[in-house]
Amino acid sequence: MTYTRPTAVIVLAAGEGTRMKSATPKVLHMIGGRSLVHHAIAAARGVDPLHLQVVVRHERDRVAAHIEACDPDCLIADQDEIKGTGRAVECGLAALPADLTGTVVVTYGDVPLLTSDTLRDLLRAHEASAVGVTVVTSRITDPTGYGRIVRDADGAVARIVEQKDASEAERAITEVNSGIYAFDAVLLREALAGLGTDNAQGEKYLTDVVAVAQARGRGAAAYVLADVWQTEGVNDKIQLAKLGAELNRRTVEAAMREGAIVRDPATTWIDTTVSIGRDTVIHPNTQLHGATTIGADCEIGPDTTLTDMEVGDGATVCRTQGSLSVVGPGASVGPWAYLRPGTELGADGKIGTFVETKNANIGAGSKVPHLSYVGDATIGTGTNIGAASVFVNYDGVSKHRTTVGDHCRMGSDTMYVGPLTIGDGVYSGAGSVIRHDVPAGALTLTDAPQRIVEGWVEVNRPDTDSARAAAAARAADVNSADVSSADASGASEASGRHTGDNGEEPQR
């Protein structure tokens, strides 16, 4: 069954959220790679409303700037000093066209598990019932704190009563209000204009619109949602963690349904914005964040954290931390690698053990196998960078780039002092310090003589373990020399007893 595009979705995000005990506004707290309010906006955008609006108040400028970053087309409305959800919606309507008709959906900025599918189902149910308001409800074991759904003798929704205004009998009701509604726009505007704040909390209740709809003969209906998690709100950091864990469980399961292999879902965290290809294996203790995309047939983890990464088909990334970088198809990264922003590893390339990279473009088939830093560099195809190499990119004032050509064989412990250009096919000797450009096909090496200053430690570092070890070794060498000398002397004497003084064999 299809539904008519809603005229507006209004997301309420004006509350301070004091129970969060945080300097961060409640709706800006993050789970699953998005803020709470961003989850709400994404769900609302999924039903394609003509107007999508968020009502704000607490830390207005900070929240509004975040909303604009999440969805630049989202409208912002400001709630005034009058409290209550009804007043918040009224302020939202005031910022929309006065002749608004059709259906208005109201949701909240702190219900991150609510989905677009549920909002679509709500719209279908609302249109099918042809009533003035449809409210999403749930049946829960402990309804404490929730508004209760009061039904008439025929089972129709008669009104909603808040916890603080409910009688004992009403508090025993287990069907509760989620706070998510579909309203007829004209009814909603007129009903809110006539509501007061004569209640236990001194607020203008949105829930009172239900009774108004009944009184005007427009009727009210309930869309009972079995998945209670979608109506759960975040009021403190315990609930933030609880809903974050549930959202992650759903996200990991969705990835597996799409073909990923997750070895240990309990220790795997995947943001809702992550994409994973078929038959990719995710090993334990792996976190995939932001706009990360993983290709098919990859091996990711264990103990790996990737943020806003692109990993090509068939790549392996093990015990690695990486962000804003690209790993090409068939490439290998780690273990114990650190990919900083701007790293691009080509197809079948390698960034190995204890290697750190930044703003580095490493060509197809090139390798940086171990114990190296590659920063502000371009490395061609088929090149090997020896162990313990450093691209010396910073002179204390400016960063400088080094370019290494194709099919180079660079020795271990090489220092590349940028800015520098090394041609194709170059070799370097171990321990080289390269300060000047090297032409294609050349050998470059730093050939300084090795200098040995004997006895330096005992003279300059007396009374240290090193000096004592050196003295002991020296004494051992002397004793060994004495023994060797004595053995040589004894051998000479023995030789003299068997030969004549002239060295001839004695007569027998």
Side-chain angles (χ1 to χ4, degrees), residues 118-343:
T118 293
L119 292 180
R120 284 189 281 268
D121 289 341
L122 169 62
L123 288 164
R124 293 185 187 101
H126 181 66
E127 290 187 8
S129 61
V131 294
V133 53
T134 302
V135 56
V136 176
T137 71
S138 295
R139 293 188 173 92
I140 59 178
T141 304
D142 181 8
T144 303
Y146 289 90
R148 307 304 203 276
I149 303 298
V150 180
R151 294 179 179 263
D152 61 22
D154 297 326
V157 175
R159 60 191 176 91
I160 301 173
V161 60
E162 296 295 331
Q163 166 88 18
K164 292 183 179 180
D165 299 299
S167 66
E168 287 300 318
E170 290 168 339
R171 291 187 181 189
I173 297 171
T174 58
E175 185 180 9
V176 299
N177 173 32
S178 70
I180 301 164
Y181 305 86
F183 294 101
D184 174 80
V186 175
L187 169 70
L188 177 62
R189 193 187 295 274
E190 293 176 353
L192 288 172
L195 295 180
T197 58
D198 184 18
N199 50 61
Q201 299 186 78
E203 298 180 358
K204 180 173 280 196
Y205 290 157
L206 181 62
T207 52
D208 289 345
V209 175
V210 172
V212 174
Q214 290 285 29
R216 294 189 178 187
R218 296 297 308 278
Y223 172 65
V224 183
L225 184 62
D227 184 6
V228 178
W229 283 103
Q230 290 195 49
T231 64
E232 286 274 345
V234 173
N235 293 303
D236 57 33
K237 289 173 180 170
I238 295 171
Q239 291 175 323
L240 183 73
K242 175 183 172 183
L243 289 179
E246 175 61 19
L247 177 60
N248 184 69
R249 185 190 68 78
R250 295 178 180 217
T251 303
V252 171
E253 285 191 1
M256 291 190 286
R257 289 190 188 99
E258 291 299 316
I261 301 168
V262 180
R263 296 299 188 199
D264 185 11
T267 63
T268 299
W269 287 80
I270 303 174
D271 285 352
T272 57
T273 47
V274 170
S275 172
I276 304 173
R278 291 186 176 183
D279 294 321
T280 282
V281 179
I282 308 296
H283 292 284
N285 297 309
T286 293
Q287 298 88 41
L288 304 175
H289 299 306
T292 294
T293 60
I294 310 292
D297 299 306
C298 297
E299 294 267 346
I300 308 296
D303 309 315
T304 293
T305 301
L306 304 181
T307 304
D308 299 323
M309 293 279 295
E310 180 183 334
V311 181
D313 294 346
T316 299
V317 182
C318 175
R319 290 191 168 90
T320 292
Q321 180 159 329
S323 62
L324 289 167
S325 297
V326 176
V327 176
S332 172
V333 178
W336 316 120
Y338 181 23
L339 276 57
R340 293 167 61 189
T343 297

Side-chain angles (χ1 to χ4, degrees), residues 395-483:
D395 62 7
V397 178
S398 302
K399 296 290 182 72
H400 300 284
R401 195 164 191 85
T402 292
T403 298
V404 180
D406 299 338
H407 301 289
C408 294
R409 296 293 178 265
M410 310 305 291
S412 296
D413 196 29
T414 295
M415 303 291 109
Y416 303 83
V417 184
L420 194 64
T421 299
I422 296 171
D424 295 342
V426 167
Y427 277 58
S428 73
S432 295
V433 179
I434 307 176
R435 300 179 183 275
H436 306 289
D437 292 353
V438 181
L443 169 67
T444 180
L445 66 161
T446 303
D447 190 16
Q450 181 176 343
R451 184 183 176 196
I452 298 175
V453 182
E454 293 198 24
W456 186 91
V457 171
E458 291 166 271
V459 172
N460 292 278
R461 298 292 186 269
D463 298 323
T464 65
D465 289 341
S466 297
R468 285 186 282 273
R474 193 185 300 277
D477 289 343
V478 170
N479 291 336
S480 178
D482 289 344
V483 170

Side-chain angles (χ1 to χ4, degrees), residues 9-14 27 37 40-41 44 51-57 63-64 67 71 74-79 88 92 108-109:
V9 175
I10 299 175
V11 179
L12 305 185
V27 295
V37 72
I41 291 169
H51 305 283
L52 175 52
Q53 182 188 77
V54 181
V55 180
V56 300
R57 177 173 171 80
V63 174
I67 290 168
D71 189 330
C74 198
L75 304 174
I76 302 293
D78 294 287
Q79 183 174 0
Y108 289 84

Side-chain angles (χ1 to χ4, degrees), residues 13-29 36 57-59 83 110 164 201 203 234-239:
E16 184 175 353
T18 55
R19 281 182 282 173
M20 292 296 287
K21 299 187 184 303
S22 174
T24 300
K26 178 175 73 170
V27 295
L28 300 192
H29 281 271
L36 300 181
R57 177 173 171 80
H58 177 65
E59 292 210 33
K83 295 181 179 180
D110 64 352
K164 292 183 179 180
Q201 299 186 78
E203 298 180 358
V234 173
N235 293 303
D236 57 33
K237 289 173 180 170
I238 295 171
Q239 291 175 323

